[in-house]
Structure formats: C-alpha cells, structure tokens
C-alpha cells in the first residue's frame, strides 16, 4: 500500500518530536514501511524524515539475526534519516530528548537555532556492545550532527545570561555530546572553545577547553564556574576584565539519579523514583567525590584583586594568575594600591577548609595606614602596632609563607578575635627587609622623621607573633624632636615568650652617643610593660635642652634605668643620674623618662660650670637624692622633689665658697653651723610639662615662685 501524506500529524516513538502538517509518502509493504520525504514546515523551519521501519525478520533486505525466524514479527526496527533546518531549540525539541539530557540543557538555559542531520536506528548484533542506547529499556540509538547558531546560555537560577551569539558544531549521541568550533560573546568578550559532555551510567562528566578575550569577571560568571574554580576565585577575589585560557575535565553535580542507564530500570521508573540530573547547583551544591581537572590561566587586561593570604586591594594588575585544581600560581604580578606599587609572585593551595601560600611580595611607597595593617596577618600587624609605626614604607618579603588553619587546628585558648578577612587563625613564616622614609616608630624611645631599614625574620603561630629577630639601622631620624643619626638596634623575641627585646641600641644624638636596651612585654591579659636602660654621653646641652641662650655651651652625660606600664605613667619606677659641664649655664638639664628633658631653674645669680644630680623616679614624682652645682666661686648642693601631677618643685639647698680659707678645728664647726643657718628653700612651678604618657618628649622648665632663707621670704 502506498500512502501520500498531505496534512498528517503524529509522534515517532524513537524520537518523540511532535509532527504536524506533514507531507510526503509512505510505501507500506508486508513487514516494513518506507518513509519517503516526510516533511513538516513551520515558518522558516523544516523537518524531513526518510527511512525504513521493519517489524518482520528478514524482510526488506534485512539479514536474520541470531534467534530470529524469517517473517516472524520482531520489535520495530527503525532506520531513519532526520534532516532539520532552522529549528528553534524550544520546549518541543527538549521534550523529545531523553530526560537526563533535557534536564541538563534546561539547567544551563540553552536556546538558539539548529540545523540537524541525524539518524535513529536499532543497532545490529555486531553494534550492540559498542553503541549506547537511548534508554535502558530501548533497543534504539541515535546520532545527530547539529549546527547551533544565535544561541544563548541562560542559567535557570536567574543570574542573567552567561553567553550570547553562541554558535557551535555538535555531535549528539545517547551517552554524550561533542562540541566543536564553539564561538560566543559575553558582553564585549569573545569565547572560543571545544568540549564534550558525557553521561554514561548516570555519571555525567564535562570536558571543555577554550579561550576568552575581554571577559568581564562578574557574579553571573562566578555562578557557572565549577566548585574547584570557585575556590581559586575566592582565593584571589578578581574584578575587572581579563583574557582566559581554561580547561576543565570532571564531573558535574548530581542532584538525583535519572534514567537508570545500564541499571535494568526503565527510564520512566527511574525518573518517577529518582528525579533529575543537572549541572552543579551553585546555591546548594552537592559534593562530587569524583576527580576533576581544572586549569585556568588569567591574563589581566583591566584587573583588580585581593589575594586572600595578604588582603591588600590591588589594581592595574599585570602578570599571570593560574588556577589548577585548587593550586593558585601568581607569576610576575605587578599592581597598584593608590600611589603604591607592588609586586607579587608565588603559589598557594586553597580549599574550603584551609589554604597554604608561599609568596614573594614587594612594595614601594606604601602608606602604613588602616588598610596596610588589615592586610597583614594578625601576628605581623601586632608587631607594626607595637612599634607604633607610621609613614611610607617600602618592603621586600623574600619569604612569606601564610597558612590558614582549619577551624579544628587551633586551640580555643589561642584563637584570636579579629576583624580581618581571614576569620581562621594563621601561621606565618616571614623574612622581610623594610625601608621607612619620613616615618615614625617607637622602640621604647620615640623616633620621628625616620629614614632607614629593618631586616626581620620571624614566625606567627595561631595568629600570634611567635619568634622575631633582626637589626634596625636608621641613618637619619629625630629622637624626641632632637636630631639623631646612625641608630642601630637588634630585635629579638623568643618563640615561647610574649616579650620583645630591643637590644644593642646605639647611635648619635645631639652631638653625643646614646646606647642602651629596651624590653617590651605584651601579654594576652594585662597591660604591656617596658624595662629600659639608656646611657647618653657627651651630648650638646644646647641641642638637647632646646635652650636658645646665645652664650650657653656644654656637654652632658646621663644614664637612666626605668620600668613601668606602657599606658600608665604613674607606674614608672627607676633611677637616673646626670653630669654636665660647660659655661653660662643657669639651669641643670635632667633626663627623665624616655628622653623627657626638664631644665631645672635655681635661684642663682651667676652661671655654673659643672653640675650633677642623682635621682629616683616614682610615678609622677622625681626625688633628688643629691644635686650639686659648681662654679669658680660657688658650690651649691641640695635635695628635694619635683611632681609632674601637681606641677610643683620643692627643694632645699646650702651654698658654699670653695675658695674660703679653712680654719683648723673650728672650720668644721663653723661650716656645719653655716649650713644650718643658711639653708635656701626653693619652691617652683613646672612650665610646658605634659606628662600624659610614659614617653613624653617635651622639654619642661621650672619657674622660681618663692625662695626663703632662714625663714625669711625674699
């Protein structure tokens, strides 16, 4: 029987695409039917089917297969050629695909126009073992060559389309799809690539290799990345426009099993009982334990980033970033942070639980500000804070190993609360050379207008500074607003102590030599403390005291041993002495505290040439055990107190003339009586005294308010 099709409709079992208004011809014979040019047209689209469907063994030229008897009824054996042009990738076409493929394509939101050339058939016995079936309960298979154009990927999570202008050549089989000559646009970017999607035995995998130029890094792109790529992204936090080279081979997230391929379960039963197969759900991803291989190379065009290990925002980045299976490699990165220039190289392993970085980091012109401190791991930030460092620095970390510990690796007793981006404790091993220009710091003595270098090595454990050592060498600086130079010190912190020693301090100050040592303690609980010992030799009195008297000259030597709470001047305790020699001196300078200088005024009418004092410090009070002033015709000695809180001075002096003749026997009696009768009581007031911290650097003076002699005020 021959049948002409003029307005037929239906749906093939082998490929259930709805057919309407079909024209063509059917030639029906005993045991088979030939389909000749069965064509459906819709607007610009057309679908044509040619081929034969056989249902009796050995008819129509078909060879008998094992177990068959000629002319006995068998399962239908289609062998159809399908040709389609300008077919929209719409819901009708998706519904004609097996459930797992349909769900996958719906998840990525693929749309576009297709040209299709394919075949649907029942494999021969020889083909059975090498040809995948449409479903486990079907004996049919298919192969389609598809040309896609004007396509888009629009993921169903509502994040916006991933790519547009998509074109590719596809080869679709029951268990996979090959993609060749893929071209697409994403904004101003161009994408080129090839790949495969395979889903045998409910284990879907993807292979993709491609490049992208002028690709914008945004949230939509992040959503379509596989989990291993997101870990690399999170470790670098890229922003901007880049060129990419990417290769991925691995599994996709399995939400639920579907078609039961190879399991003996029918496709409908598997769908009804198990659900669907799709790309990874970026909102609620299901872990995929199968291995994957991801390689991403980023070539910056206009890129900014914040590397997780050192969260300092970088812009204008050049160089290369490579992410390979959770391993991030930074090659010759150069970047800006404001006016600062930075260079980064190294690598790190990142995961959801921990990270381990080995970096080389250098920078020029970086301000020591809040962003700089936040970028440092906690232990290094505490060092910068304890030194009260400010200014503009250049640095070179020849070694910077940063390991972010998993939550379970830090004991609760050593965890540190921090506002830094890393919420987990870190271990750091570092070696850094740091240059400071026009900066300031405090190493127990306040340094300003600093020009010089530090070379430090150390470790941080559980976000706390553990060990530290290295020299400080400053060519130019001011100490308490007094010019100094060639200052050297050695930093040393044992790993098992919350203390820092700044030892072997030496340098030039006010024309003299300064030397000493400072120990700083910074326990987790309680205030930070200091213990210092300083010696100053042969300093110029005029430079040291800031006295502008034109004829004043002299040299001063002093020593001071002091300790106390860093934040409370009332806790300081110590001893000091001073010796001064010169001419036209009317005030004796005292070195108190951390280079606090007090010019002690006394009721004298002629200058002295030599002076000395020994004193103790108890909080705000300085007690003078002895104080002597000498000139050619005068010797004045006394004792008393100076209080910075009350701003008062109270002292008692006796005077003598060393040139007076000594009378045997009576001389001592007369001398004692004279001292008893001629005591001078001095009361004074401090001016410009501001002892608000333990390290004031101002120079204060006294004014003589009252002088009494023998009870008579004058």
């Amino acid at each position: 029987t021959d049948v002409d099709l003029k307005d037929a409709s239906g749906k093939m079992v082998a490929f259930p695409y709805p057919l309407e208004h079909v024209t063509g011809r059917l030639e029906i014979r005993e045991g088979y039917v030939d389909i000749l040019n069965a064509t459906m047209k819709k607007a610009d689209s057309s679908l044509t089917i040619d081929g034969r469907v056989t249902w009796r063994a050995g008819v129509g030229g078909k060879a008998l297969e094992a177990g068959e008897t000629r002319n006995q009824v068998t399962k239908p054996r289609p062998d159809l050629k399908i040709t389609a042009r300008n077919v929209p990738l719409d819901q009708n076409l998706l519904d004609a695909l097996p459930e797992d493929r349909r769900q996958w394509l719906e998840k990525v939101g693929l749309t576009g126009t297709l040209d299709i050339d394919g075949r649907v058939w029942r494999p021969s016995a020889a083909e059975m073992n090498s040809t995948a079936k449409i479903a486990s309960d079907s004996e049919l298979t298919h192969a389609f060559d598809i040309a896609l154009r004007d396509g888009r990927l629009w993921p169903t999570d509502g994040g916006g389309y991933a790519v547009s202008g998509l074109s590719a050549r596809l080869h679709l089989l029951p268990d996979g799809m090959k993609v060749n000559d893929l071209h697409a646009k994403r904004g101003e970017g161009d994408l080129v690539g090839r790949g495969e999607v395979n889903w045998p035995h409910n284990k879907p995998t993807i292979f993709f290799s491609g490049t992208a130029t002028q690709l914008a890094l945004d949230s939509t792109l992040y959503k379509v990345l596989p989990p291993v790529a997101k870990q690399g992204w999170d470790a670098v936090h890229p922003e901007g426009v880049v060129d990419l080279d990417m290769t991925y081979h691995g599994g996709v997230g399995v939400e639920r099993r579907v078609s039961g391929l190879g399991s003996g379960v029918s496709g409908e039963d598997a769908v009804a009982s198990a659900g669907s197969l799709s790309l990874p759900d970026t909102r609620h991803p299901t872990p995929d334990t199968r291995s994957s291989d991801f390689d991403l190379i980023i070539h910056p065009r206009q890129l900014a980033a914040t590397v997780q290990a050192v969260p300092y925002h970088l812009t204008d980045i050049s160089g290369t970033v490579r992410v390979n299976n959770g391993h991030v490699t930074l090659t010759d990165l150069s970047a800006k942070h404001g006016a600062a220039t930075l260079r980064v190289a190294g690598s790190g392993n990142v995961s959801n639980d921990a990270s381990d970085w080995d970096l080389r980091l250098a920078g020029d012109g970086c301000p020591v500000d809040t962003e700089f401190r936040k970028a440092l791991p906690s232990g290094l930030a505490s060092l910068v804070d304890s030194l009260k460092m400010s200014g503009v620095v250049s640095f070179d970390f020849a070694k910077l190993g940063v390991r972010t510990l998993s939550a379970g690796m830090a004991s609760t007793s050593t965890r540190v609360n921090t506002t830094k981006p890393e919420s987990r404790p870190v271990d750091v091993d570092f070696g850094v050379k740091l240059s400071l220009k026009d900066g300031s710091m405090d190493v127990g003595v306040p340094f300003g207008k600093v020009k010089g270098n530090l070379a430090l090595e150390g470790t941080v454990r559980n976000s706390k500074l553990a060990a530290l050592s290295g020299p400080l060498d400053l060519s130019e600086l001011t100490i308490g607003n007094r010019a100094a130079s060639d200052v050297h010190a050695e930093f040393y912190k044992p790993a098992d102590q919350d203390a820092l020693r700044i030892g072997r301090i030496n340098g030039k100050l006010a024309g003299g030599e300064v030397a000493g040592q400072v120990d700083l303690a910074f326990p987790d609980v309680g205030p930070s403390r200091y213990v210092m010992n300083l010696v100053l030799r042969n300093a110029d009195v005029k430079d040291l005291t800031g006295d502008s008297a034109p004829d004043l000259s002299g040299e001063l030597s002093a020593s001071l041993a002091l300790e106390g709470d860093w934040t409370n001047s009332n806790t300081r305790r110590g001893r000091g002495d001073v010796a001064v020699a010169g001419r036209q001196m009317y005030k004796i300078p005292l070195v108190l505290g951390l280079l606090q200088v007090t010019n002690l005024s006394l009721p004298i009418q002629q200058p002295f040439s030599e002076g000395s004092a020994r004193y103790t410090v108890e909080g705000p009070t300085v007690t003078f055990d002895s104080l002597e002033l000498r000139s050619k015709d005068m010797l004045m000695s006394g004792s008393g107190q100076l209080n910075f809180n009350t701003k008062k001075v109270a002292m008692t002096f006796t005077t003598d003339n060393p040139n007076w003749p000594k009378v045997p026997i009576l001389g001592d009696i007369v001398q004692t009586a004279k001292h008893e009768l001629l005591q001078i009581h001095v009361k004074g007031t401090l001016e410009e005294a501001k002892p608000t911290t333990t390290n004031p650097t101002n120079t204060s003076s006294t004014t003589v308010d009252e002088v009494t002699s023998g009870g008579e005020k004058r």
Side-chain angles (χ1 to χ4, degrees):
T1 302
D2 297 334
V3 178
D4 291 324
L5 303 176
K6 293 185 178 180
D7 193 16
S9 63
K11 184 182 292 187
M12 292 186 297
V13 174
F15 188 72
Y17 186 79
L19 303 176
E20 299 175 349
H21 309 297
V22 178
T23 62
R25 183 177 177 83
L26 300 180
E27 295 183 353
I28 303 172
R29 302 293 182 264
E30 187 176 358
Y32 66 92
V33 59
D34 287 330
I35 303 171
L36 306 177
N37 199 34
T39 301
M40 179 183 72
K41 292 186 177 182
K42 283 185 178 181
D44 294 332
S45 304
S46 66
L47 173 66
T48 302
I49 303 173
D50 290 284
R52 173 173 291 180
V53 180
T54 303
W55 59 85
R56 286 184 180 274
V59 301
K62 286 285 187 180
L64 292 174
E65 296 185 9
E68 291 184 341
T69 302
R70 183 174 295 278
N71 288 324
Q72 285 191 356
V73 174
T74 66
K75 290 184 178 181
R77 299 177 183 175
D79 190 351
L80 306 176
K81 177 183 178 184
I82 299 175
T83 304
R85 297 292 181 264
N86 300 320
V87 177
L89 207 169
D90 56 13
Q91 195 62 46
N92 286 333
L93 184 57
L94 291 173
D95 289 341
L97 296 174
E99 182 73 5
D100 47 4
R101 268 126 290 182
R102 178 178 64 79
Q103 293 280 350
W104 195 90
L105 291 174
E106 287 180 338
K107 182 69 177 180
V108 300
L110 179 62
T111 63
T113 302
L114 305 175
D115 291 339
I116 303 172
D117 293 280
R119 179 187 176 203
V120 177
W121 78 102
R122 177 183 178 276
S124 65
E127 297 174 308
M128 280 293 184
N129 293 329
S130 59
T131 305
K133 299 175 183 178
I134 294 175
S136 60
D137 59 345
S138 173
E139 295 183 351
L140 304 182
T141 189
H142 64 68
F144 293 101
D145 289 316
I146 303 171
L148 170 66
R149 62 182 184 277
D150 299 326
R152 283 189 176 186
L153 291 176
W154 201 307
T156 58
D157 61 6
Y161 69 87
V163 296
S164 62
L166 177 62
S167 65
R169 291 189 300 108
L170 315 175
H171 185 63
L172 178 64
L173 299 172
D175 59 349
M177 177 174 65
K178 292 184 178 180
V179 182
N180 293 305
D181 296 335
L182 183 148
H183 295 267
K185 296 284 290 185
R186 176 170 170 76
E188 298 297 322
D190 295 306
L191 289 76
V192 177
R194 64 185 183 88
E196 293 183 17
V197 181
N198 296 297
W199 42 79
H201 310 297
N202 288 314
K203 295 181 180 180
T205 60
I206 292 177
F207 166 76
F208 178 80
S209 177
T211 62
T213 57
Q214 300 189 69
L215 182 65
L217 304 176
D218 54 26
S219 59
T220 302
L221 178 62
Y222 178 83
K223 289 178 181 179
V224 301
L225 292 176
V228 66
K230 289 180 180 178
Q231 292 173 3
W233 181 299
D234 293 339
V236 180
H237 299 287
E239 309 166 34
V241 179
V242 299
D243 294 342
L244 297 180
D245 297 314
M246 187 178 82
T247 301
Y248 176 72
H249 187 194
V252 296
V254 180
E255 292 177 340
R256 290 165 291 178
R257 290 173 58 87
V258 284
S259 63
L261 295 176
S263 65
V265 181
S266 71
E268 291 183 359
D269 289 342
V271 170
S273 63
S276 64
L277 176 77
S278 73
L279 280 176
D281 188 330
T282 58
R283 296 162 297 177
H284 306 287
T286 301
D288 186 357
T289 58
R290 285 172 288 118
S291 62
S292 60
D293 185 9
F294 177 79
D295 191 38
L296 174 67
I297 302 175
I298 303 173
H299 306 281
R301 280 181 175 256
Q302 185 179 348
L303 179 63
T306 305
V307 178
Q308 184 182 39
V310 186
Y312 202 48
H313 187 63
L314 306 178
T315 62
D316 301 324
I317 298 175
S318 62
T320 302
V321 178
R322 183 171 186 173
V323 182
N324 182 270
N325 296 331
H327 183 77
V328 181
T329 303
L330 311 175
T331 304
D332 298 331
L333 289 189
S334 177
K336 291 284 189 180
H337 179 90
T341 301
L342 294 101
R343 300 172 299 282
V344 186
S347 61
N349 294 306
V350 297
S351 68
N352 290 328
D353 193 48
S355 64
D356 191 355
W357 291 86
D358 184 6
L359 299 174
R360 172 74 183 267
L361 175 66
D364 296 310
C366 299
V368 183
D369 54 15
T370 301
E371 288 185 78
F372 183 85
R373 289 180 171 87
K374 285 184 177 180
L376 296 174
S378 298
L380 291 179
S382 67
L383 173 62
V384 172
D385 289 338
S386 65
L387 294 177
K388 298 181 175 63
M389 187 180 296
S390 66
V392 177
V393 300
S394 297
F395 55 85
D396 186 354
F397 282 90
K399 175 177 68 175
L400 182 59
V402 182
R403 183 185 182 197
T404 303
L405 305 179
S406 62
M409 293 182 67
S411 65
T412 55
S413 61
T414 57
R415 284 180 193 158
V416 176
N417 292 326
T418 176
T419 58
K420 295 184 183 348
E422 77 265 5
S423 58
R424 294 173 179 169
V426 297
D427 282 355
V428 183
D429 296 272
F430 65 91
V432 59
K433 293 182 179 179
L434 186 147
S435 298
L436 194 62
K437 183 177 181 181
D438 198 23
S440 65
M441 67 174 65
D442 198 322
V443 296
V445 178
F447 292 172
K449 297 182 180 179
V450 174
K451 180 181 179 182
N453 305 297
L454 293 87
L456 302 175
E457 292 190 359
T459 59
V460 173
R461 294 294 177 261
N462 274 316
S463 296
K464 287 182 56 179
L465 182 65
L468 179 72
S469 63
L472 172 147
D473 289 285
L474 307 178
S475 58
E476 299 176 15
L477 70 157
T478 61
I479 301 180
N481 296 320
R482 299 162 180 87
S485 62
D486 301 329
V487 171
H488 173 86
E490 297 283 344
F491 287 81
Y492 175 67
K493 181 192 178 302
D496 58 347
Q497 298 180 22
D498 289 330
L500 173 65
R501 168 162 291 183
I502 306 169
R504 300 178 62 181
I505 300 174
N506 60 78
K508 297 178 180 179
L509 171 65
E513 301 287 337
V514 63
Q517 174 178 300
V518 179
D519 291 334
L520 305 176
F522 34 90
D524 289 335
V525 179
S528 299
R529 297 186 59 83
Y530 64 89
V531 176
M532 62 175 296
N533 289 277
L534 291 178
V535 176
L536 180 62
R537 293 286 182 261
N538 304 321
D540 184 275
V541 170
K542 198 166 187 176
D543 287 346
L544 186 66
T545 63
D547 195 325
S548 59
D551 297 328
L552 173 65
S553 66
E555 288 188 348
L556 177 145
S557 295
S559 66
L560 179 67
L562 197 68
E563 64 180 64
D565 181 338
W566 191 261
T567 59
N568 186 356
S569 62
N570 290 327
T571 64
R572 61 182 177 178
R573 302 287 185 273
R575 302 185 63 85
D577 62 67
V578 62
V580 61
R583 63 186 184 88
Q584 296 299 313
M585 295 188 296
Y586 288 86
K587 303 175 183 179
I588 182 167
L590 303 176
V591 180
L592 306 172
L594 306 183
L595 283 194
Q596 175 188 346
V597 176
T598 294
N599 291 324
L600 186 62
S601 299
L602 297 173
I604 55 178
Q605 297 178 350
Q606 59 180 336
F608 63 91
S609 57
E610 295 181 17
S612 64
R614 292 195 306 273
Y615 53 89
T616 60
V617 180
E618 293 282 339
T621 303
V622 179
T623 300
F624 299 97
D625 300 321
S626 69
L627 191 153
E628 290 188 353
L629 305 178
R630 293 176 179 272
S631 66
K632 180 179 179 181
D633 298 321
M634 181 194 70
L635 171 61
M636 188 174 184
S637 60
S639 60
Q641 284 190 339
L642 180 156
N643 190 294
F644 282 98
N645 283 351
T646 62
K647 297 185 171 64
K648 298 295 183 179
V649 177
M651 304 191 72
T652 300
F653 289 93
T654 61
T655 62
D656 202 352
N657 188 330
N659 297 321
W660 285 357
K662 302 292 184 181
V663 179
I665 301 176
L666 295 178
D668 292 337
I669 298 174
V670 172
Q671 188 76 7
T672 301
K674 182 176 65 175
H675 286 174
E676 292 288 340
L677 295 173
L678 299 180
Q679 286 186 346
I680 301 174
H681 303 283
V682 180
K683 295 181 180 180
T685 304
L686 284 173
E687 292 181 341
E688 303 174 2
K690 301 175 183 178
T692 57
T693 67
T694 60
N695 58 342
T697 60
N698 55 294
T699 299
S700 59
S701 301
T702 60
T703 59
V704 177
D705 299 329
E706 183 179 314
V707 178
T708 60
S709 177
E712 180 184 353
K713 186 175 180 181
R714 56 176 187 161

